[in-house]
Amino acid sequence: MYKHIKFFEELSITDVPSVGGKNASLGEMYRNLAPKGVHLPNGAATTSESYNYFLEQTGLRQKITDILEGLDVKDVDELRVRGAQIRKAIMKAELPQDFQEEIRRAYRELGEKCGNPNLVVAVRSSATAEDLPNASFAGQQDTYLNISGEENVLHATKQCIASLFNDRAIVYRDENKFDHMKVALSVGIQQMVAVRSESAGIMFTIDTESGFKNAVVITSIYGIGENIVQGRVSPDEFTVFKPTLAILKKKLGTKKEKMVPGPNSTTKNIRVTHADQDRYSITDDQVRTLAQWGLEIEKHYGKPMDIEWALDEDDGQLYIVQARPETVQSRSNRNVIEEYQLKETGKQITKGSSVGSKIGAGPASKIMNLKDIAKFKEGDVLVTTMTDPDWVPIMKRASAIVTDKGGRTCHAAIVSRELGIPCVVGTGDATEKIASKSRITVDCSPGDEGYVYDGQLAFDVNTTDIHDLKRPQTKIMMNIGSPDHAFHYSMIPNDGVGLAREEFIIDSHIKIHPLALLRFDEVKDRHVRAEIQDLTKGYDDKAEYFVDKLAEGVSIIGAAFYPNDVIIRFSDFKSNEYANLIGGTQFEPEENNPMIGWRGASRYYSEDYKEAFALECRAIKKVRDEMGITNIKAMVPFCRDLDEARKVLHIMEENGLKRGENGFEAYVMIEIPSNVILAEQFAELFDGFSIGSNDLTQLTLGVDRDNHTVSHVYNENNPAVLELIKHVVAIAHKTGTKIGLCGQAPSDYPAFARFLVETGIDSISLAPDTVVKTTMDLHDLEISLGRSQQ
């Protein structure tokens, strides 16, 4: 029997007051999730009672109280001195003999259970408050890795206890009004399964930037996982869709270093080879296994979780080594939508991974060492190599944070999220390019990438309260461009996506003309060839790069709005726009008026382009059939006549997209007068119509909408345009064909949106920033028209 020790199999989440949140959670999972196939290392924990016993037996309680008396935590120098005094006193004190003996005995017993008498362990801190059992002290105390031998375990145990009084922990308790002497510490002694870790990382069962709940985000590096939190290494990043475990997105990190065991229970960092840097640190199957375990853990706890994992080099097995509730996105107010938008432009200094979606600006304060943090002023932008928990006091005063190193799960990113501060991590060169005291703007609003601009630029913050938003019967859908914003926009009340343009994905994420990939050997320009080689690194078949990247973008949009309909429009670049893609000039004709030239359907069946269109079909098929995101529908743009429609549908079938198979539906754009005139015949070929009011206006009125000379004639509210819309809506109702409108007009003109409702149109697709206002407007209109409400 033990008085001071509890093994994981004895613990549950109800033991937080005795062993703290971290150790209670490890015991809870070991007891409940290991039987379900989740791999978890065994361990034992000292109790909070044994911590208090240690303080009482050694007289440390009074000594610590005296040292802390009158401390002003804002006095950084005084804080440093007093914290060091306490830690020194703890390390000098002897653990009571019975406490020591139980730690030794527990370590030996744990070695027997794990089949290794010289067991290597991680010694972890787990703090709790006597009168506040739910208090969280995550990240405040220290962890010691690669510890073996009874004496080393005893020493690391005392180091953990001493870390309860490191500077950051003292500040944290002071700011949160915790009595220092009512907080106790449990020490976890956990089998270190990844002594020579192949790779390790962090997993969140919620998207850390948007709060989107249907995603698992996994980061991974080589070696022991400590480098990922410290921000020393930019990790690989994977986003997994919960309903189907499809990997939506993969991002290769630099992973230049890895932490490995050193001599005498130490660790050290060594360089990673270029070959290993250029490959992912875990396989797709391992990503899916981790995601499945993340779902099991989330289900068990009933809330989004923040989980640490490791891949053991010896047995090749994945293990969960820690889990705690996610505390930022899961607690945010989903009834308020906040959008940041720059009002002016500036010179870009650097870029990296964005954390959050805010904008911050101020004087750059370049802090390269902890000893210089006293120089930091309220409202400065913190620019540094990387941060650790000792930097939190100045991070709280920053208007934004920029780091050279780190990924979205490093310390700087985690703290920035908690504080609601915009942060750009992993720039690689911020401390080199940003001058101290210069005024800069940090913009995290564009999506995955965040940018740092020269100068303090003006920006707007738009806030919308969607609590109890009343919805009209008319479906309100969205027009979505970049997949980077899809998770964020999905939080706005909506009925799906009426138009997602492939052009945005091709232009921003693929960047290369599809024929330059399919016919790479024919590309003549050596600079273009070099650019394509660089972008398609890792792809022997360069066409697969196009399929994979397009499928990634489409799948993210589909997943964000799942299970609502998401209508993906096949590429509708004009020839001059295709020519602007890398390698495009060699494969594109010069047209005098590309707006009404070789675009849309006429490309797809052309002998000069149909092999490129086949790549688009393959990407859609991959998303629907392989990734299981079956709410995706495909839409054909600029289809001039019925013969074109049949040809395109035939090519789609040849490439695996057949109407009715696996629930697949094909839509057509109604944007040419011929589409309206022949609407009944088009309805026999397609499952749905989407009115493109921009082109329909252009071709009804005979106006080139790119020509400013006649722009005054262009008017979507023209009676002729409205008559065509009214007519095609009536035909759609007659034939039982779904019909919506995805042009710009209802976003710009409330009267146009009201006109559409009066026609009885099924859905209206809007720019995201107009969805809430139009939803309220149309709800009121439907009431005035006497329609019953949802």
Side-chain angles (χ1 to χ4, degrees), residues 64-308:
I64 293 168
T65 302
D66 292 343
I67 294 172
L68 289 172
E69 182 67 32
L71 172 64
D72 178 2
V73 296
K74 293 186 177 66
D75 186 335
V76 176
D77 293 330
E78 187 66 18
L79 171 67
R80 191 177 297 145
V81 169
R82 296 207 203 182
Q85 286 177 347
I86 296 172
R87 294 191 296 275
K88 184 178 179 182
I90 291 171
M91 294 307 295
K92 278 182 68 178
E94 279 284 320
L95 291 170
Q97 283 302 313
D98 60 334
F99 189 12
Q100 281 194 46
E101 182 49 42
E102 285 202 7
I103 293 171
R104 293 175 191 274
R105 186 153 56 94
Y107 173 69
R108 291 195 297 268
E109 186 175 333
L110 186 60
E112 289 169 11
K113 287 174 184 280
C114 300
N116 184 353
N118 298 309
L119 186 68
V120 180
V121 294
V123 181
R124 303 177 180 276
S125 309
S126 182
T128 188
E130 295 170 357
D131 53 351
L132 292 166
N134 295 319
S136 172
F137 299 93
Q140 301 305 312
Q141 290 77 44
D142 295 341
T143 291
Y144 297 90
L145 305 173
N146 192 35
I147 308 297
S148 63
E150 292 177 21
E151 295 305 319
N152 287 328
V153 170
L154 281 169
H155 183 72
T157 298
K158 275 211 297 186
Q159 286 180 304
C160 280
I161 293 172
S163 76
L164 189 60
F165 294 94
N166 61 39
D167 297 353
R168 63 182 179 267
I170 294 171
V171 171
Y172 179 86
R173 290 193 297 271
D174 186 83
E175 289 181 342
N176 289 280
K177 310 300 184 205
F178 291 116
D179 184 332
H180 294 290
M181 305 318 297
K182 287 189 176 179
V183 174
L185 192 114
S186 163
V187 178
I189 301 165
Q190 181 186 27
Q191 176 193 8
M192 193 166 168
V193 294
V195 181
R196 291 186 300 280
S197 178
E198 173 72 21
S199 53
I202 296 172
M203 166 167 58
F204 287 90
T205 62
I206 190 171
D207 181 60
T208 52
E209 305 313 314
S210 66
F212 178 66
K213 291 185 177 180
N214 246 354
V216 176
V217 179
I218 298 168
T219 53
S220 174
I221 59 172
Y222 294 117
I224 297 169
E226 196 69 9
N227 276 347
I228 213 166
V229 178
Q230 290 180 0
R232 290 184 64 95
V233 175
S234 296
D236 299 330
E237 188 173 315
F238 309 86
T239 303
V240 181
F241 184 44
K242 286 180 182 177
T244 66
L245 292 184
I247 300 173
L248 300 176
K249 183 166 58 174
K250 297 165 68 170
K251 181 180 178 183
L252 192 68
T254 52
K255 312 181 298 295
K256 292 181 179 179
E257 293 180 316
K258 68 175 176 179
M259 184 181 284
V260 298
N264 303 317
S265 296
T266 61
T267 57
K268 62 180 180 179
N269 277 299
I270 61 173
R271 298 289 294 175
V272 173
T273 65
H274 287 293
D276 281 346
Q277 288 180 41
D278 289 343
R279 71 174 179 89
Y280 288 101
S281 48
I282 50 176
T283 66
D284 287 358
D285 284 344
Q286 288 166 336
V287 169
R288 283 186 281 267
T289 296
L290 286 170
Q292 180 64 59
W293 289 357
L295 293 183
E296 289 284 357
I297 295 168
E298 181 183 66
K299 181 181 176 184
H300 180 76
Y301 284 99
K303 61 186 71 172
M305 299 295 288
D306 169 359
I307 301 162
E308 294 179 24

Side-chain angles (χ1 to χ4, degrees), residues 424-490:
V424 175
V425 296
T427 62
D429 57 10
T431 56
E432 178 188 330
K433 288 190 171 181
I434 298 172
S436 218
K437 306 303 178 189
S438 63
R439 292 191 172 270
I440 59 173
T441 300
V442 179
D443 181 12
C444 294
S445 65
D448 281 356
E449 283 193 322
Y451 301 90
V452 181
Y453 297 106
D454 188 27
Q456 196 157 335
L457 307 178
F459 59 89
D460 282 332
V461 184
N462 300 313
T463 303
T464 308
D465 192 335
I466 57 171
H467 182 61
D468 287 336
L469 182 69
K470 300 292 191 295
R471 308 281 291 280
Q473 280 189 325
T474 307
K475 288 188 174 182
I476 303 297
M477 304 178 84
M478 281 192 217
N479 297 337
I480 295 291
S482 170
D484 292 347
H485 296 94
F487 287 173
H488 177 72
Y489 286 145
S490 71

Side-chain angles (χ1 to χ4, degrees), residues 747-760:
S747 297
D748 291 344
Y749 308 113
F752 191 92
R754 289 193 287 273
F755 156 74
L756 293 173
V757 171
E758 288 165 357
T759 68

